[in-house]
Amino acid sequence: MSDGIVIAGGGLAAQRCTETLRSQGYDGPIRIVCAEAHAPYDRPPLSKELLAGEMPAAAVALRPRPWYDERQIDLLLGTRAERLDLAGRRLELSSGARLRFDSLLVATGSRARTLPLLDGYSNAGVLRTLDDALALRHALGPGRRVVIVGAGFIGLEAAATASRLGAWVTIIEALDAPLMGILGASLGSWFAELHRAEGADVLLGARITGVRGRRKVRALELADGVVVECDHVLVGVGVDPDTRWLDGTGLGANGVRVDARGCTCAPGIYAAGDAARPYDTALARHVRTEHWEAAARQGADAARAMLGLEPVRTPLPSFWSDQHGVRVQYVGRAEEADRIAIDGDPGGRDFEALFTKAGVPVAALLVGRPRALSRARRRVQEGLESLTPETRR
Ligand SMILES: Cc1cc2nc3c(=O)[nH]c(=O)nc-3n(C[C@H](O)[C@H](O)[C@H](O)COP(=O)(O)OP(=O)(O)OC[C@H]3O[C@@H](n4cnc5c(N)ncnc54)[C@H](O)[C@@H]3O)c2cc1C
């Protein structure tokens, strides 16, 4: 007997997939297999409101528990998908059970990278799960010395929250500016200044060479001889798609390659969210995104593909971030750009950066301008659609 639609992973993409399946009339079995012990929950608050202690843990649930029961969605929590038997269309679970599926969605998200130098220390961790966030919250407070290794969005948000809670924050970044890979050096420097103005120490171009302390990190030694003392270390050096369990199937390297609808090359197997690498029609290549809006949309689109329905029109990749009371929004593909134009007042935390390629808008970053998003989105959408194969290169 078939177990119907099986979803490996139980985050946002998984939840949105089930919601669309039921709302579009699918009434067969649905099973979510999730490694974590919690029903699908929202991650953005983990570095913001939840970390600040302004939101209880129960409030991050994407839907209340009865929502799944009412829709007859089976939640297999605390259970990992261990192996995919492509030919037999079976998923092997850590519990020893095997599920036979008609359709399988890979929605196992991403895992936070770690630094081998800091492995095994009780006061060093990452921020990916609800349990990580609760542990980190416990470590923050007035006068605590917190080191954030890596100035990506999650590290910067956690740094802002830790500062607000009265911690002494040091940010250690290997590159010459935060977010340099996405936004370039000059905009990245704006983020460094934002955090410095709020009291954090921001060490750029810095390399950790040693750790002092036995079970707990007491201090980090940097290549230039600086020693940073600390009570807690958060490692925020990016994520990788959590698809190692697919090794050997040919599906999972650097995210599961799918078309714009979420279909892999294997019939009946789909992928969505951080674990997927979908085809981007504007860029004419497969690109991973690690953002909320993409995961939500791709989960819903995969459900539509399973039911033979057309996908909803793909909007541009976009995300938001909140740091020191400033809303930062981003839309498009800045990595395509050859120029950046700034409009507004960076010093006043109120500006728009427009990224262009051959004069055509390909991305925008809005700082403190939440209402300008739809206009920026329109401009960038038109710009990306107008790129020709020559200008794309
Ligand atoms: C702290 C934090 C803050 C963020 N803030 C923002 C933000 O402000 N804006 C924004 O756009 N994005 C933000 N994001 C990113 C966004 O939350 C992710 O893009 C989104 O959660 C991806 O959803 P997903 O369903 O693909 O994966 P996930 O939400 O990661 O869910 C995947 C689930 O699958 C489970 N799993 C993994 N392997 C297995 C396995 N083998 N078997 C079974 N289960 C497995 C995982 O444990 C996890 O529960 C943030 C992320 C974090 C961590």
Side-chain angles (χ1 to χ4, degrees):
M1 210 181 101
S2 164
D3 290 290
I5 294 177
V6 172
I7 303 179
L12 175 64
Q15 190 278 328
R16 288 299 195 267
C17 177
T18 62
E19 188 154 336
T20 305
L21 286 170
R22 287 297 187 232
S23 69
Q24 293 297 325
Y26 173 76
D27 61 4
I30 304 179
R31 296 205 156 80
I32 294 182
V33 178
C34 186
E36 288 184 70
H38 312 285
Y41 61 87
D42 216 11
R43 286 175 210 274
L46 304 186
S47 49
K48 308 177 184 77
E49 302 89 335
L50 180 119
L51 190 60
E54 293 160 358
M55 183 190 245
V60 297
L62 286 165
R63 296 288 177 264
R65 197 57 192 265
W67 186 91
Y68 299 92
D69 301 335
E70 284 156 17
R71 286 161 186 77
Q72 293 177 310
I73 297 165
D74 243 4
L75 287 174
L76 306 178
L77 301 179
T79 309
R80 295 191 70 81
E82 300 253 282
R83 207 182 79 84
L84 170 61
D85 170 4
L86 264 181
R89 302 182 74 72
R90 281 194 192 87
L91 188 67
E92 294 177 14
L93 310 186
S94 51
S95 59
R98 288 171 183 204
L99 298 179
R100 260 197 71 163
F101 54 82
D102 298 322
S103 300
L104 171 73
L105 176 68
V106 176
T108 42
S110 45
R111 68 168 67 216
R113 288 186 200 133
T114 54
L115 290 177
L117 208 60
L118 289 164
D119 281 351
Y121 286 95
S122 63
N123 61 341
V126 296
L127 177 53
R128 181 72 205 170
T129 66
L130 177 56
D131 295 346
D132 293 337
L134 295 174
L136 179 60
R137 185 164 88 184
H138 193 67
L140 300 179
R144 303 281 292 169
R145 297 163 306 170
V146 178
V147 174
I148 316 271
V149 182
F153 275 109
I154 289 175
L156 292 177
E157 287 183 352
T161 305
S163 290
R164 253 178 61 211
L165 292 173
W168 296 106
V169 174
T170 304
I171 300 171
I172 297 177
E173 166 59 52
L175 299 177
D176 291 336
L179 304 166
M180 218 169 110
I182 315 173
L183 301 177
S186 66
L187 275 172
S189 301
W190 181 85
F191 283 89
E193 290 316 314
L194 172 72
H195 284 263
R196 283 184 179 133
E198 297 289 342
D201 224 353
V202 184
L203 308 180
L204 300 171
R207 198 163 52 84
I208 301 170
T209 49
V211 180
R212 293 189 186 171
R214 270 160 58 83
R215 289 194 186 84
K216 284 191 165 196
V217 183
R218 279 191 299 104
L220 296 176
E221 299 168 350
L222 305 186
D224 59 4
V226 168
V227 175
V228 184
E229 296 189 340
C230 59
D231 299 307
H232 194 85
V233 183
L234 173 67
V235 178
V237 293
V239 295
D240 291 311
D242 206 342
T243 51
R244 264 185 288 181
W245 61 280
L246 289 170
D247 283 357
T249 62
L251 292 176
N254 188 24
V256 179
R257 260 169 86 110
V258 289
D259 66 13
R261 309 169 64 217
C263 307
T264 66
C265 55
I269 301 188
Y270 305 79
D274 285 13
R277 188 154 51 96
Y279 187 74
D280 184 314
T281 39
L283 300 180
R285 62 172 189 267
H286 291 85
V287 192
R288 290 185 55 233
T289 39
E290 294 154 3
H291 306 309
W292 194 97
E293 287 182 13
R297 178 179 43 75
Q298 290 166 17
D301 276 351
R304 297 180 71 82
M306 289 175 193
L307 301 176
L309 302 170
E310 283 305 309
V312 189
R313 188 166 183 263
T314 307
L316 287 170
S318 63
F319 63 79
W320 78 96
S321 175
D322 294 315
Q323 296 171 35
H324 293 299
V326 184
R327 170 59 54 115
V328 176
Q329 291 154 300
Y330 166 91
V331 62
R333 294 283 184 200
E335 66 274 24
E336 299 297 306
D338 52 28
R339 276 190 89 129
I340 308 174
I342 307 283
D343 169 51
D345 175 17
R349 301 179 182 182
D350 170 27
F351 67 96
E352 173 174 349
L354 188 67
F355 297 75
T356 55
K357 178 166 184 138
V360 166
V362 291
L365 180 82
L366 305 173
V367 173
R369 294 188 170 184
R371 278 197 290 272
L373 183 64
S374 47
R375 189 173 142 270
R377 194 185 279 278
R378 241 188 347 265
R379 283 180 82 184
V380 171
Q381 181 87 47
E382 286 166 11
L384 280 170
E385 280 170 3
S386 74
L387 285 181
T388 61
E390 288 71 39
T391 48
R392 229 179 248 143
R393 242 172 255 137

